[in-house]
């Protein structure tokens, strides 16, 4: 009799296990299939990203080599390919394209490329450098409001190029006749603890030019220079006083970093 009960209990257990298997095996199989598909998709994405990065790296190097041999057309094609490949080289390639456009006196196109490079990079140093280059180009012809809109975010605390942005803001104020505000900004650069020595020295020269009155002619000089035809060769200018020349050295258009990294 005991054997019969044990047999019945065994059959009940077997039936329970079969029901559990019928219920959960499809679920487990589906989960395993989803996990496998996700793993394969991740592997495929990583392979694609690596392939694109290798492609961008090769194209960017080709562009640098073309620049070194003076072949701007080939360099532009290579940098465009690197930018289209995306990834970490996109911002660098766009900045190189901006430099080539600037060399061809296509300032508007260069500004657009630098702006795009600033948005394309997650590296704050690279992003701010591209944005600062665009601001330098806008300074020659843009309004003070446009320049401030571009530079003020770069001049905030803990931004990697803060002193250079503050210097550019001060120079823009000086160009637009806001001498008192510009002098105050230059004095702050003189006294700042984390200000690079070249920026500090240019700020000191600018303060001297403002105090002696020679900086007052800077806005008129900038306006006249912007009005000159691009293709016309400018005649030789008479020698300027030392403090005006020093202040001119501080102008962002001259101090802008080179397009090449």
């Amino acid at each position: 009799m005991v054997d019969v009960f044990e047999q019945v209990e065994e059959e009940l257990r077997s039936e329970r296990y079969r029901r559990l298997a019928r219920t959960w095996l499809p679920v487990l199989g589906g989960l395993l299939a989803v996990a496998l598909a996700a793993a394969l998709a991740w592997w495929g994405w990583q392979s694609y990203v690596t392939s694109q990065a290798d492609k961008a790296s090769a194209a960017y190097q080709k562009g640098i080599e073309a620049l070194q041999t003076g072949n701007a057309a080939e360099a532009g094609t290579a940098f465009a390919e690197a930018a289209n490949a995306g990834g970490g080289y996109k911002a660098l390639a766009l900045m190189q394209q901006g430099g080539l456009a600037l060399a061809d006196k296509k300032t508007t196109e260069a500004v657009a490329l630098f702006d795009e490079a600033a948005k394309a990079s997650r590296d704050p140093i690279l992003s701010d450098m591209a944005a600062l280059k665009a601001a330098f180009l806008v300074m020659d012809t843009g309004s003070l409001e446009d320049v401030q809109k571009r530079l003020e975010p770069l001049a905030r605390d803990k931004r990697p190029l803060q002193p250079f942005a503050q210097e550019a803001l001060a120079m823009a104020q000086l160009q637009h006749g806001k001498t008192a505000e510009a002098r105050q900004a230059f004095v702050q650069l003189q006294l700042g603890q984390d200000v690079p020595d070249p920026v500090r020295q240019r700020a000191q020269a600018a303060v001297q030019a403002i105090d002696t009155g020679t900086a007052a002619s800077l806005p008129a000089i900038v306006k006249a220079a912007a009005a000159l035809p691009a293709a016309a060769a400018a005649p030789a200018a008479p020698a300027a006083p030392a403090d005006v020349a020093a202040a001119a050295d501080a102008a962002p258009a001259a101090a802008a970093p080179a397009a090449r990294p």
Side-chain angles (χ1 to χ4, degrees), residues 22-249:
R22 285 194 299 268
T23 302
W24 292 105
L25 277 179
V27 176
L28 292 175
L31 290 175
L32 289 174
V34 170
L36 179 61
L40 290 174
W42 175 256
W43 175 81
W45 172 251
Q46 290 298 314
S47 298
Y48 172 78
V49 169
T50 301
S51 173
Q52 290 296 100
D54 291 341
K55 181 180 178 180
S57 175
Y60 187 82
Q61 182 61 33
K62 182 179 179 181
I64 293 296
E65 292 172 356
L67 276 183
Q68 292 173 345
T69 59
N71 192 336
E74 183 179 343
T77 301
F79 289 135
E81 181 181 350
N84 291 334
Y89 283 91
K90 182 175 182 178
L92 289 171
L94 287 168
M95 290 175 69
Q96 293 286 5
Q97 287 181 286
L100 291 173
L102 186 58
D104 288 338
K105 301 188 183 303
K106 299 177 180 178
T107 305
T108 302
E109 180 180 342
V111 170
L113 287 165
F114 286 135
D115 284 340
E116 187 178 355
K119 296 176 183 177
S121 178
R122 296 181 181 179
D123 183 342
I125 296 178
L126 192 59
S127 175
D128 282 16
M129 181 181 294
L132 191 58
K133 287 184 177 185
F136 285 149
L137 297 179
V138 172
M139 283 183 65
D140 291 335
T141 56
S143 66
L144 179 59
E145 291 74 17
D146 291 339
V147 175
Q148 287 176 326
K149 183 177 179 180
R150 288 175 171 275
L151 289 175
E152 284 176 352
L154 307 179
R156 293 171 184 163
D157 291 340
K158 298 183 180 180
R159 295 301 287 260
L161 301 180
Q162 180 192 32
F164 298 97
Q166 290 175 334
E167 179 187 24
L169 268 173
M171 183 56 67
Q173 290 170 337
L174 189 59
Q175 289 177 351
H176 289 271
K178 295 187 176 295
T179 307
E181 294 88 336
R183 187 184 187 283
Q184 182 179 0
F186 283 127
V187 168
Q188 290 176 348
L189 286 170
Q190 278 186 271
L191 303 177
Q193 295 182 350
D194 298 325
V195 177
D197 286 340
V199 175
R200 192 189 309 277
Q201 292 168 3
R202 290 195 296 267
Q204 182 177 1
V207 171
Q208 292 176 351
I210 291 171
D211 289 346
T212 57
T214 52
S217 59
L218 182 59
I221 294 173
V222 172
K223 184 176 180 180
L228 289 175
D243 45 6
V244 173
D249 289 339

